[in-house]
């Protein structure tokens, strides 16, 4: 829920409404997601969560970042390497080394001399794209479903003639992640805010997975199909996005002391059960998500006076939330 | 220039190339802009710059943010108010009060009790949109010009059939700002990263200009035509985007001590001449900009292996740079 109600007083009065008989306002996208039945939410397996603990901040507060790894068939070569790196505790003692405004935060071994664990694979550039994808929900399908729900219609959905994307022909969601598609039925993950990718040097290098970054600005979609996307930050991104910007070329920290130490990175299933974070995402193939996406594209909740009539794929973030009882 | 070269060593080796006989690489968008002739750059009048000095940071370093105000015919009612507020030194002693991740940083009077200066106008919602716009350069025109330049062609540009935007029919640039257009020849500024808007309460309130925010995340285009956009941050946005996120509703700081004091906000022409910042932007109606925009949409510089084939309006930021001799 991200109203741009711009006074603290107004925000407080919304949180504690005092007028009882106003008509029910049209729900915001966040309210639609929150009201979705439990069956529309899918729990994320702890084995698909990467938990990064930074050194505590200046006030001694812990800083935990949780990353959801992408499901098959996307980027599995790099993700296999990442699992091995985490199992080897390879990142412990490495650091956040680069923070470039409106672009990326990047972490790994600043010395570039730390030996990699054995058994990492070298992944081909062809793996930036997946050849076939199960359960792809195009934005057209989502929009058509929202239209059917609103009108109370059954039967085949109506044709949908708005452009979906200015970068490629088709965009939508696969297993809860934003993806784009091309004419040969190939699909690839897109670089939205919070997505996590694999640093690399010049082609044909594709990176091992030891150097990772996350997006902290406007979606740099020109990176799609040029770098492997392996997941997204689902909790704690503020510990990365609010770091001081680096003053060196490309936002690298110039002074070693500016680097932020990484205490540990683990796959959550390696943690003690009570310590495992638990998250779930809103599945995209149901009426709840269709209504949510429609509301993102056509805001009608009280603050808004003019629905946009559309939304780009990165402005329809898939809802993810902590599960009760989780850490 | 924002390569995602992901090793510090690689970045350093690019900065100091040692191999002399490599073929000249295809220039990056930033290199194309830097090579544009001086006549393609337009100086920004000091009277159109708003200079915000925050209290120094924890290490005593100054924090200056420079905002370029939008030109006529956009949002001039609010901008007139902003000039009066700055002339009255109204913001001095106010603060940054809200930092919401992937959304906005907002500043103004946290108490909401400070009396506004006399003479502010109340602006109608109809002013979110400008009825006619001089010098509008559509993305289609920019792309067609790039095509003509590349092919060495003269004469009428070819038809351009790619979608320009998923939010509205037409997008492009007016006086160096990103704007969108509708079917009735109306135009409005769009919410890209760094754009500055006017906080308001519920409609029909449109805000006075005393509460301002800037975008620090993926373009929230759903705010277009719902809030007045009055300018953009052209220098120092890192002093806002790297602030700790607020933990209250909507990212408001819960503890008064978290607020960042604003020492002063001035229109630059009020400052002593030697203290005035000087900036210029790349005009959008020339071949240099067309090549720049084409390169943003189709990266061919050495890091990239797959040009995107398109770019959304907020992924083609208009180049702005400090002028030599300026502060």
């Amino acid at each position: 829920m991200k109203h741009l109600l711009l006074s603290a007083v107004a925000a407080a009065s919304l949180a504690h409404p005092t007028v009882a008989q106003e008509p029910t306002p049209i729900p915001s996208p966040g309210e639609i997601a929150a009201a979705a039945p439990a069956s529309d939410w899918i729990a994320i397996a702890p084995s698909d969560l990467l938990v990064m603990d930074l050194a505590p901040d200046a006030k001694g507060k812990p800083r935990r970042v949780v990353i959801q790894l992408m499901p098959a068939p996307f980027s599995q070569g790099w993700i296999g390497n990442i699992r091995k790196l985490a199992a080897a505790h390879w990142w412990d003692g490495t650091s956040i080394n680069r923070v470039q405004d409106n672009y990326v935060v990047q972490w790994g071994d600043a010395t570039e001399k730390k030996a990699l664990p054995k058994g990492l694979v070298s992944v081909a550039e062809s793996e930036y794209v997946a050849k076939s994808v199960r359960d792809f929900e195009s934005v057209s399908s989502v929009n058509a479903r929202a239209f059917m729900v609103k009108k109370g219609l059954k039967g085949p959905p109506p044709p949908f003639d708005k452009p979906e994307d200015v970068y490629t022909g088709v965009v939508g969601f696969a297993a809860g992640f934003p993806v784009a598609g091309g004419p040969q039925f190939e699909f690839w993950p897109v670089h939205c805010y919070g997505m996590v990718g694999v640093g690399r040097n010049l082609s044909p290098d594709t990176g091992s997975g030891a150097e990772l970054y996350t997006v902290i600005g406007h979606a740099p979609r020109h990176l799609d199909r040029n770098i492997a996307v392996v997941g997204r930050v689902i909790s704690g991104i503020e510990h990365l996005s609010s770091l001081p910007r680096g003053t060196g070329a490309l936002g690298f920290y110039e002074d070693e002391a500016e680097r932020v130490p990484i205490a540990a990175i683990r796959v959550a299933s390696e943690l003690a059960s009570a310590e495992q974070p638990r998250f779930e995402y809103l599945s995209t193939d149901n009426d709840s998500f269709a209504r949510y996406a429609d509301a993102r594209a056509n805001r009608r909740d009280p603050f808004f006076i003019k629905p946009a009539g559309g939304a780009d794929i990165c402005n329809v973030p898939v809802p993810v939330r902590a599960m009760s009882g989780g850490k």
Side-chain angles (χ1 to χ4, degrees), chain A residues 4 16 25 29 33 55 63 68 72-73 81 85 89 98 131 153 165 188 193 196 213 232 249 258 267 277 297 326:
Chain A
L4 202 75
H16 306 288
R63 292 187 279 189
Q68 180 189 6
N81 287 350
L85 287 155
H89 300 185
R98 176 191 183 192
K131 290 296 172 287
L153 301 175
D165 192 46
W188 57 89
Y193 191 93
V196 174
Y213 64 89
R232 66 176 158 212
E258 295 177 289
V267 174

Side-chain angles (χ1 to χ4, degrees), chain A residues 109-124:
Chain A
D109 170 34
T111 70
E112 303 198 75
K113 289 176 181 165
K114 188 170 181 175
L116 293 169
K118 285 182 185 168
L120 301 194
V121 299
S122 180
V123 191

Side-chain angles (χ1 to χ4, degrees), chain A residues 206-292:
Chain A
T206 66
S208 65
E211 284 279 319
L212 296 173
Y213 64 89
T214 188
V215 173
I216 58 157
H218 186 70
R221 297 280 308 277
H222 49 285
L223 298 176
D224 297 354
R225 290 183 289 175
N226 282 285
I227 299 196
V229 175
V230 292
R232 66 176 158 212
V233 176
I234 59 172
S235 179
I237 196 166
E238 66 276 12
H239 302 308
L240 302 173
S241 56
S242 68
L243 291 174
R245 277 47 182 156
T247 49
L250 311 175
F252 279 97
Y253 288 134
E254 294 182 280
D255 182 347
E256 216 172 292
E258 295 177 289
R259 296 177 190 150
V260 180
I262 295 172
I265 297 184
R266 298 284 182 277
V267 174
S269 47
E270 274 196 65
L271 302 175
S273 177
E275 294 298 318
Q276 293 177 5
R278 297 274 181 179
F279 287 90
E280 60 187 352
Y281 69 90
L282 185 60
S283 164
T284 62
D285 64 350
N286 52 61
D287 293 350
S288 300
F289 187 83
R291 281 195 300 268
Y292 163 81

Side-chain angles (χ1 to χ4, degrees), chain A residues 19-72:
Chain A
V19 180
Q21 299 195 331
E22 283 186 350
T24 307
I26 295 173
S28 68
E31 289 162 345
I32 292 169
S39 56
D40 286 346
W41 292 83
I42 296 180
I44 303 169
S47 56
D48 289 333
L49 294 178
L50 204 60
V51 179
M52 172 161 67
D53 286 323
L54 305 179
D57 72 10
K59 292 175 181 163
K61 280 194 190 163
R63 292 187 279 189
R64 172 165 282 191
V65 179
V66 182
I67 294 163
Q68 180 189 6
L69 297 170
M70 287 206 79

